[in-house]
Amino acid sequence: MFVLDDLLFRPFVGIVDTLHTLALDEMYDIDALEDELKENQLLYEIGDRSEEEYRERKEELEAEIEIAQEVHERLSSGRVEVKS
């Protein structure tokens, strides 16, 4: 019975783990968030965005970047928890 579990269950868990990691990488893409932060700065500098809009969006993006960095840190250390 344990051999059958090892043959059927472990590959499935490996695939799910890989898909989970890829999904988190996509959801918390630090480079894309940093590009969005630069775009926000540029729009403010050329006058397409008010200072209030710029500051609000900058704070949102900085918070998202912080979360993304934490997620990537957990991914690299293997401390990712899946909660249902």
Side-chain angles (χ1 to χ4, degrees), residues 33-84:
L33 291 169
E34 288 175 343
D35 288 345
E36 206 171 326
L37 189 62
K38 291 174 190 174
E39 179 182 1
N40 184 49
Q41 175 76 30
L42 179 65
L43 290 172
Y44 171 68
E45 288 175 357
I46 63 173
D48 283 355
R49 186 162 285 173
S50 69
E51 184 173 350
E52 181 181 337
E53 291 173 320
Y54 162 72
R55 291 192 188 281
E56 286 176 12
R57 186 64 183 139
K58 181 181 178 194
E59 288 175 11
E60 291 171 3
L61 288 169
E62 288 173 342
E64 289 179 31
I65 289 171
E66 189 175 316
I67 292 168
Q69 289 171 336
E70 183 179 323
V71 167
H72 282 274
E73 180 183 310
R74 287 183 178 197
L75 276 175
S76 65
S77 68
R79 295 184 334 218
V80 176
E81 298 174 15
V82 178
K83 296 181 180 178
S84 54

